[in-house]
Amino acid sequence: MIPLLGLLAGIVVGLVLEPSIPLVLQPYLPIAIVAAMDALFGAFRAYLEGSFSDRVFVVSFVSNVLISAAIVYVGDQIGVGSQLSTGVVVVLAIRIFTNVAAIRRVLFRA
């Protein structure tokens, strides 16, 4: 229940304060969000399967976001940022859909 309350509080604070993201960081935000979603769905899958570890979740969450942002940064530096961004999103989306399929199988036994 505490994580849900924290999520709700974060959404409310974000809507009220309307934080602005520096222009330099804007290309990395979508990648960071998709990487974080991958870690969250992976954690939920592990929880349902009974193998959840908070340490693994934190390391996965932070490393997904940092590695994804680093790949996009390197792509920007060599002039292929949009292609690498697309590649990162595709790979992470495949992982998210794989986790969602596993979650569906556990929840609905289908």
Side-chain angles (χ1 to χ4, degrees), residues 54-90:
D54 56 347
R55 291 180 185 186
V56 172
F57 169 68
V58 170
V59 169
S60 173
F61 188 90
V62 172
S63 64
N64 276 4
V65 171
L66 291 178
I67 292 170
S68 298
I71 290 171
V72 174
Y73 175 77
V74 168
D76 284 343
Q77 297 306 306
I78 61 175
V80 293
S82 63
Q83 290 92 341
L84 282 179
S85 294
T86 302
V88 168
V89 169
V90 167

Side-chain angles (χ1 to χ4, degrees), residues 18-79:
E18 295 181 16
S20 64
I21 299 165
L23 211 53
V24 175
L25 297 178
Q26 286 181 0
Y28 306 104
L29 182 63
I31 302 301
I33 290 172
V34 173
M37 287 176 56
D38 173 48
L40 290 171
F41 280 108
F44 187 55
R45 174 185 181 178
Y47 173 77
L48 291 175
E49 293 174 348
S51 62
F52 177 77
S53 167
D54 56 347
R55 291 180 185 186
V56 172
F57 169 68
V58 170
V59 169
S60 173
F61 188 90
V62 172
S63 64
N64 276 4
V65 171
L66 291 178
I67 292 170
S68 298
I71 290 171
V72 174
Y73 175 77
V74 168
D76 284 343
Q77 297 306 306
I78 61 175

Side-chain angles (χ1 to χ4, degrees), residues 7-17:
L7 177 64
L8 183 61
I11 291 172
V12 169
V13 168
L15 291 173
V16 170
L17 295 180

